[in-house]
Amino acid sequence: MLTTDEAERLLRAAREAHTRGDPLLHLHVEVSRLTGAPSSWGSAANECLQNESVGYFLGEVERVGWRLKHTGYAFVDSGATTSDRVMSTGTGVVNHGAVSGYFTFRRAATV
């Protein structure tokens, strides 16, 4: 998830790219995470954690002098946990992974 240190690092990169005169800026930010643990009954107990600060962060990048032009998202699977079900056949599955946001900015037009 987007920590304060990571946000500061990415904002620093945005400022440096703007100072250099780069026409485009591309940032990658984890926007949510799928976690969970198998229950004692063998069922899935998934939980989706949202990163509520992404919108604020993107606004801060625009304040540097960039304009958001394109976004893309991908689920990055990091595995699963399975467990046998107690009362029935089969297994319970808990998936793990993160949704990555890819944000492309164009240098804002100067007036």
Side-chain angles (χ1 to χ4, degrees):
M1 300 295 267
L2 187 62
T3 64
T4 301
D5 288 342
E6 180 68 0
E8 289 173 359
R9 184 187 71 77
L10 292 171
L11 283 172
R12 189 170 44 256
R15 286 186 199 98
E16 290 170 358
H18 196 271
T19 300
R20 274 194 313 268
D22 295 1
L24 295 173
L25 173 69
H26 187 75
L27 299 177
H28 165 244
V29 177
E30 184 179 301
V31 297
S32 64
R33 183 175 290 165
L34 184 61
T35 63
S39 75
S40 59
W41 293 95
S43 60
N46 282 323
E47 180 180 6
C48 186
L49 304 173
Q50 302 292 327
N51 187 341
E52 304 298 338
S53 64
V54 171
Y56 177 80
F57 170 75
L58 295 175
E60 290 298 303
V61 174
E62 287 206 347
R63 288 179 58 159
V64 171
W66 299 99
R67 292 297 167 255
L68 183 62
K69 290 297 180 182
H70 182 75
T71 61
Y73 299 90
F75 178 72
V76 181
D77 187 356
S78 62
T81 304
T82 61
S83 58
D84 292 331
R85 290 194 171 125
V86 174
M87 302 291 254
S88 65
T89 61
T91 58
V93 178
V94 177
N95 295 306
H96 305 278
V99 175
S100 291
Y102 299 91
F103 304 97
T104 302
F105 295 81
R106 182 171 294 282
R107 176 183 285 281
T110 56
V111 181

